[in-house]
Amino acid sequence: MEETVMEELICEEAILAEEIPEVKPAAVVNKNGVKAEAAIASGGGGAASGFSGTKIFTWFMVLALLGVWSSVAVVWLELVDYDNVIGKLSAYDADGDGDFDVEDAKVLLGVKERPVSLVQREAKEESAVEEQTEPIVEEVIQTTEGTEEDEQQAPEGESPDAVGTPAKSEDATEEAFEGILAVEAGSFEAEAAVQVEETAVPLPPISDDFIPEESKQFTDRPGSQETREAEEKTIQEDSEGNAEDQPEDMLKYKDKKKKPKLLNTFEKTIKTEIDAAEKLRKKGKVEEAVLAFDTLVQQYPQSPRCRYGKALAEDDLAEKMRSNDMLQKALITYKEASELPNATPDLIKATLKKRAERQQFLGRMRGALATLEKLVQIFPEDVALKNDLGVAHLLIGDNKSAKRVYEEVLAIAPSNGFAKVHYGFILKSENKIAESIPFLRDGLESGDPGTDDGRFYFHLGDALQRMGDDSAYKWYERGHQRGHFASVWQRSLYNVDGLKAQPWWTPKDTGYMDLVKTLERNWRTIRDEALSVMDKTTGLFVPEEENLREKGEWGQFTLWQQGKKAGESCHSVPKTCGLLERYPEATGCKRGQIKFSVMQPGTHVWPHTGPTNCRLRMHLGLVIPKTGCKIRCTNDTRAWEEGKVLIFDDSFEHEVWQDADSYRLIFIVDVWHPELTQYQRQTLSPI
């Protein structure tokens, strides 16, 4: 039976073979002149005929499906952080299309030029950044300092996010700057007011009544950068656990200071959860970090590290939101973390230091002082904390307490440069010029963190000049080389980069010809009004209080200060004020004054510089003795003339002598530097 079936199949195949004619492929001659079918017949035919087109397609589909499922697995299982990768690649977006592709590679390799539209857009953005300055804030909103109730709740009637403007700095009197300006106090909106163009920050005040009642923004201080760097290092290391948890090779790679121990024994058991929340914060996902740490605090209410992490996350969120209300919450959380039992000493220190810094940022100087006093009480051997405490005393004008703190520091650490420069600064403020010099000089030479500051170079040079020591210019030169001064002669600390700098100006140079002509045409009217109020019984002329005089008498009567009328002064000289009302370059100059200046015979004003390069100073001669009165700016000495205007840039060193037989009376008008834009004039902070 089987044989019969097989015979029938064979017959059927034979019939089919006869019906289907053989199709032979066309002979193809290869480059060697041999027909391809001959080559196939000689041995390669089996392989070729076996690897059909259908099999090629099948393998292609298999590989394609494998690729698809691999991609799905990578995305689904989050094997690759695409946000991170894409973010990094976007830095190489050279053609402005928002991604990194072949066209970007061509631009980076120089094969293709960047799109003109992108170049123009970037140029506009750079220009906008250069002109970006403080937002206009018209009214001062007072904030209270330091009480726990203030930190828990915003003052009644005030928005939690209400802020104060940068507070008024010390009155920069005629040709005057002692180099000591009030510290500005703060909030997030006030912080935005800090100029990117400016090259200096305020120096702590030197007198008890120096700081007005309203709070002042304090954006930086000597040593604060070091503090912030240390805190950032602490934050970076705390998620790694304590030093004992680190491999031996990791322990070798560290600074001389021990790594902070922020985790207590229990917290080591929940380190993974803390690390997960901390990772969110470090990635900038601050809202999620706040929620994560808040959950941990609810689960582990007695964990100082969890609460500290929550405070840091709230602090970061406050920064992102520019919210004082959120920052107040962070202050409360910092305090709670520091007071929990089983908090490690390192965590207590890190928490309270951060709290003090943020209190200062909000202008709560007395609250920050209390926090630092608590820190010093807990860690009495920590010299750096005592240094910070000394600065806190300076910030509230308590020089006596600051001096005591630095004397204690120098008693246990005689070579501490930070303490030396601040102690020298305090001595100089007490007019102990000779005694201040070695402390300022040794402190600067130490190179310790917090000492390389233009203000200390400024005061050391000034002290040396007053002692007749020409080595002052060596220190000015060093300050210039360190980037603190524009030049040896131009030593102002609050500067906008790129402005034309020259000691003496002509009216044509300034572009304020109309103002100069008005002053010179009406000089007799201005003089007569000044003479009418010069009587000492009126009390309008007040003595110069900037400690700029070596000897003599020098009085001033101010009409405008920081772009605003000075009280009711204009009621006494209405014609003079009326002449100036239509010149906003003068009346609106927030970094200058308009005032009368009278100097008696025998007066000498020390060489000094003004605070900023943002203004020019006009002197209109009103009553000028024939001889004996002169002013030097850099190495060029000139004299006043009645009815004529002298113009100079008081950010350059200048000096005044009055050796005549009678008084000298001039009218001083400060004007904006002509190269400042209108936007800059509106947004620069007052001085």
Side-chain angles (χ1 to χ4, degrees):
M1 183 66 179
E2 292 177 356
E3 293 178 358
T4 304
V5 173
M6 289 295 296
E7 288 175 359
E8 290 177 358
L9 290 173
I10 292 171
C11 290
E12 288 178 1
E13 288 179 359
I15 293 170
L16 289 173
E18 290 177 0
E19 292 177 353
I20 301 174
E22 182 180 1
V23 180
K24 294 183 179 181
V28 179
V29 180
N30 61 23
K31 63 181 181 180
N32 297 320
V34 181
K35 289 185 179 181
E37 60 179 330
I40 293 171
S42 64
S49 61
F51 199 71
S52 65
T54 302
K55 291 185 177 181
I56 294 174
F57 178 77
T58 300
W59 280 108
F60 175 81
M61 291 300 296
V62 170
L63 293 174
L65 289 172
L66 285 173
V68 170
W69 285 110
S70 298
S71 300
V72 170
V74 168
V75 174
W76 185 263
L77 298 175
E78 296 184 353
L79 299 178
V80 178
D81 187 353
Y82 280 98
D83 291 338
N84 188 31
V85 173
I86 292 171
K88 291 180 179 178
L89 290 178
S90 64
Y92 300 96
D93 177 22
D95 59 4
D97 62 356
D99 62 5
F100 178 73
D101 51 24
V102 175
E103 297 303 316
D104 297 305
K106 290 180 180 179
V107 173
L108 293 172
L109 292 172
V111 177
K112 179 181 176 181
E113 293 185 357
R114 306 184 76 189
V116 175
S117 61
L118 179 63
V119 175
Q120 293 175 343
R121 187 180 70 194
E122 290 179 347
K124 290 180 181 179
E125 291 175 352
E126 290 177 2
S127 176
V129 170
E130 290 175 359
E131 292 190 0
Q132 180 183 359
T133 51
E134 307 161 332
I136 304 173
V137 187
E138 295 296 338
E139 298 182 0
V140 175
I141 302 176
Q142 296 189 359
T143 60
T144 57
E145 296 186 23
T147 64
E148 299 303 329
E149 291 79 5
D150 293 335
E151 293 173 0
Q152 297 179 23
Q153 183 176 349
E156 183 177 353
E158 180 179 331
S159 168
D161 289 341
V163 299
T165 58
K168 294 182 180 181
S169 57
E170 183 177 14
D171 182 6
T173 54
E174 177 190 6
E175 304 153 347
F177 180 56
E178 183 65 7
I180 306 166
L181 289 174
V183 178
E184 298 174 344
S187 61
F188 284 106
E189 293 84 345
E191 181 197 26
V194 179
Q195 294 302 305
V196 294
E197 299 99 335
E198 293 182 353
T199 59
V201 292
L203 192 65
I206 62 170
S207 62
D208 293 340
D209 58 351
F210 192 80
I211 302 183
E213 288 301 319
E214 60 263 28
S215 64
K216 304 177 183 63
Q217 181 180 3
F218 183 53
T219 58
D220 202 358
R221 61 182 168 81
S224 62
Q225 181 63 32
E226 179 191 15
T227 301
R228 285 193 296 270
E229 290 174 354
E231 288 166 353
E232 186 61 27
K233 182 179 179 182
T234 297
I235 295 167
Q236 291 173 353
E237 293 173 344
D238 63 19
S239 65
E240 300 174 3
N242 299 334
E244 292 87 339
D245 300 329
Q246 306 303 314
E248 185 176 352
D249 57 340
M250 289 295 293
L251 291 174
K252 293 178 181 178
Y253 186 72
K254 64 179 182 178
D255 296 333
K256 294 180 180 179
K257 294 182 180 180
K258 295 180 180 179
K259 288 186 177 181
K261 298 179 181 180
L262 303 182
L263 301 177
N264 61 31
T265 303
F266 167 74
E267 288 166 340
K268 292 180 182 180
T269 65
I270 59 170
K271 180 176 176 295
T272 302
E273 297 174 68
I274 295 174
D275 287 350
E278 187 64 29
K279 184 177 181 181
L280 291 172
R281 191 181 71 82
K282 290 181 178 179
K283 282 188 172 184
K285 301 177 180 179
V286 290
E287 293 90 349
E288 298 176 40
V290 170
L291 292 175
F293 275 115
D294 190 51
T295 300
L296 288 176
V297 168
Q298 293 178 23
Q299 290 178 334
Y300 312 109
Q302 295 301 307
S303 167
R305 177 62 184 89
C306 291
R307 207 168 293 264
Y308 175 53
K310 180 184 176 183
L312 290 172
E314 289 173 340
D315 200 334
D316 291 345
L317 183 58
E319 184 78 30
K320 181 177 181 179
M321 296 171 60
R322 319 300 289 176
S323 169
N324 293 337
D325 185 40
M326 180 56 67
L327 184 54
Q328 289 168 2
K329 292 181 180 179
L331 287 177
I332 296 170
T333 310
Y334 281 129
K335 183 174 184 291
E336 292 172 348
S338 69
E339 294 176 347
L340 284 173
N342 299 320
T344 66
D346 286 345
L347 185 133
I348 293 173
K349 183 183 294 187
T351 302
L352 292 180
K353 285 178 67 176
K354 189 70 174 178
R355 186 169 188 262
E357 177 191 330
R358 304 312 270 162
Q359 286 174 312
Q360 288 175 339
F361 175 82
L362 285 174
R364 295 174 178 171
M365 302 305 174
R366 295 188 183 277
L369 176 63
T371 301
L372 287 166
E373 286 177 335
K374 182 177 180 180
L375 267 170
V376 170
Q377 184 179 5
I378 298 172
F379 305 100
E381 303 302 321
D382 193 319
V383 171
L385 291 178
K386 289 187 176 181
N387 280 336
D388 289 342
L389 178 61
V391 172
H393 282 296
L394 287 172
L395 290 176
I396 63 171
D398 188 358
N399 285 23
K400 183 177 180 180
S401 295
K403 184 178 182 181
R404 174 182 51 78
V405 170
Y406 289 122
E407 286 174 344
E408 292 175 0
V409 171
L410 292 173
I412 60 177
S415 62
N416 188 280
F418 186 92
K420 282 187 173 183
V421 290
H422 285 81
Y423 189 67
F425 165 73
I426 294 170
L427 290 176
K428 185 171 181 291
S429 73
E430 296 174 346
N431 210 29
K432 297 177 180 179
I433 305 301
E435 294 93 327
S436 72
I437 290 174
F439 288 99
L440 287 166
R441 182 178 55 227
D442 294 349
L444 284 171
E445 288 177 341
S446 73
D448 288 350
T451 61
D452 186 22
D453 189 299
R455 295 162 291 184
F456 298 126
Y457 287 96
F458 182 101
H459 285 292
L460 174 57
D462 183 63
L464 290 168
Q465 279 185 300
R466 296 189 183 199
M467 296 301 296
D469 189 336
D470 290 338
S471 68
Y473 291 97
K474 179 194 78 171
W475 288 99
Y476 290 147
E477 176 62 31
R478 186 175 296 184
H480 167 55
Q481 292 174 353
R482 301 290 296 177
H484 301 305
F485 305 139
S487 70
V488 173
W489 289 115
Q490 190 179 23
R491 303 189 296 274
S492 54
L493 297 175
Y494 294 77
N495 301 319
V496 170
D497 293 336
L499 299 181
K500 182 178 180 180
Q502 62 186 43
W504 292 98
W505 291 64
T506 67
K508 185 177 180 180
D509 289 337
T510 67
Y512 300 136
M513 289 289 294
D514 190 33
L515 172 59
V516 173
K517 289 179 180 178
T518 296
L519 292 173
E520 292 184 342
R521 279 197 300 261
N522 295 277
W523 75 274
R524 289 185 175 86
T525 299
I526 297 171
R527 178 199 61 189
D528 292 345
E529 283 198 326
L531 292 174
S532 69
V533 296
M534 268 186 61
D535 189 340
K536 290 185 179 181
T537 60
T538 65
L540 295 178
F541 278 79
V542 297
E544 178 271 328
E545 298 176 346
E546 301 296 327
N547 192 27
L548 293 175
R549 290 168 290 162
E550 178 189 12
K551 57 182 180 178
E553 296 182 28
W554 177 14
Q556 301 170 95
F557 174 35
T558 302
L559 306 181
W560 269 269
Q561 174 78 21
Q562 297 181 333
K564 296 181 180 180
K565 285 185 178 179
E568 306 298 323
S569 297
C570 280
H571 291 175
S572 302
V573 287
K575 294 180 182 178
T576 299
C577 289
L579 291 170
L580 291 168
E581 291 283 4
R582 62 190 182 95
Y583 296 104
E585 62 267 30
T587 59
C589 182
K590 293 185 294 183
R591 296 199 161 188
Q593 305 93 39
I594 299 175
K595 57 193 176 185
F596 293 102
S597 171
V598 61
M599 192 173 287
Q600 300 297 333
T603 302
H604 173 234
V605 178
W606 294 109
H608 60 281
T609 62
T612 177
N613 71 341
C614 295
R615 74 186 186 202
L616 302 178
R617 176 154 284 189
M618 296 184 179
H619 281 189
L620 172 65
L622 299 178
V623 178
I624 308 298
K626 292 183 179 180
T627 59
C629 295
K630 56 186 178 180
I631 177 173
R632 173 184 67 83
C633 188
T634 63
N635 52 7
D636 187 354
T637 302
R638 302 187 183 186
W640 297 273
E641 296 180 46
E642 292 183 355
K644 297 296 180 181
V645 170
L646 279 178
I647 308 174
F648 67 102
D649 183 340
D650 76 328
S651 65
F652 287 84
E653 180 182 293
H654 51 286
E655 184 177 10
V656 177
W657 296 267
Q658 215 290 43
D659 296 323
D661 296 329
S662 59
Y663 67 85
R664 180 226 66 179
L665 177 65
I666 62 174
F667 187 46
I668 298 174
V669 179
D670 289 336
V671 293
W672 285 118
H673 191 291
E675 292 183 354
L676 286 173
T677 66
Q678 190 62 34
Y679 180 73
Q680 288 172 317
R681 297 181 189 196
Q682 291 174 346
T683 56
L684 283 167
S685 59
I687 292 179

